[in-house]
């Protein structure tokens, strides 16, 4: 499956962004999906993840309550709505997919990766 992320940009603290990830290839609902991020000097981390059906979700503690992951399997797209953004949310954000319907909180369990989109939050 090929993944194309979009929607990043520069936003002031407290603002919002919506990231989108369009997938092409096989049946999208067969893939657990995640949004991961990597800030300079830090390890890549799973920000949010969603199961193939969309019924299961996971959020990192650092974004819980501010971020919502969702997917539209008819459109082969997964979204990340980010609100109340903080400067510490600044990172390159990646969408990634697994070869299973189950979500994962481990970056190394994702087999397919998009190109990354920069999110910069100014204070």
């Amino acid at each position: 499956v090929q993944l194309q992320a979009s929607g990043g940009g520069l936003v002031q603290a407290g603002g919002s962004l919506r990231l989108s990830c369009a997938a092409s290839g096989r049946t999208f609902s067969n893939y657990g999906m995640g949004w991961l991020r990597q800030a300079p000097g830090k390890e890549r981390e799973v920000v949010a993840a969603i199961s193939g059906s969309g019924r299961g979700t996971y959020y990192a503690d650092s974004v819980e309550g501010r971020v919502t992951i969702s997917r539209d399997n008819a459109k082969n797209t997964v979204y990340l709505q980010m609100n109340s953004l903080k400067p510490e949310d600044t990172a390159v954000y990646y969408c990634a997919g697994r070869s299973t319907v189950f979500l994962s909180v481990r970056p190394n369990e994702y087999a397919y990766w998009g190109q990354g989109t920069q999110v910069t939050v100014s204070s």
Side-chain angles (χ1 to χ4, degrees):
V1 61
Q2 292 79 44
L3 303 173
Q4 181 73 36
S6 61
L10 173 64
V11 63
Q12 290 188 333
S16 298
L17 281 175
R18 188 194 198 201
L19 307 184
S20 299
C21 178
S24 61
R26 301 178 183 177
T27 307
F28 186 56
S29 60
N30 288 344
Y31 300 93
M33 298 295 296
W35 283 98
L36 296 83
R37 69 185 181 188
Q38 188 164 23
K42 295 188 176 181
E43 293 186 355
R44 194 169 294 186
E45 62 173 340
V46 176
V47 175
I50 189 167
S51 63
S53 67
R55 287 192 288 270
T57 57
Y58 160 84
Y59 296 98
D61 289 344
S62 57
V63 301
E64 180 79 54
R66 301 188 294 119
V67 163
T68 302
I69 189 170
S70 61
R71 65 191 297 161
D72 185 337
N73 287 340
K75 295 183 178 180
N76 285 9
T77 304
V78 61
Y79 305 96
L80 188 70
Q81 177 67 45
M82 301 189 293
N83 301 322
S84 302
L85 283 162
K86 304 176 180 179
E88 50 263 44
D89 294 318
T90 295
V92 177
Y93 284 71
Y94 300 89
C95 68
R98 304 192 68 212
S99 299
T100 171
V101 299
F102 301 108
L103 61 85
S104 175
V105 304
R106 299 181 177 87
N108 62 1
E109 292 185 352
Y110 287 85
Y112 310 104
W113 292 82
Q115 83 285 7
T117 184
Q118 177 71 45
V119 171
T120 303
V121 184
S122 63
S123 57

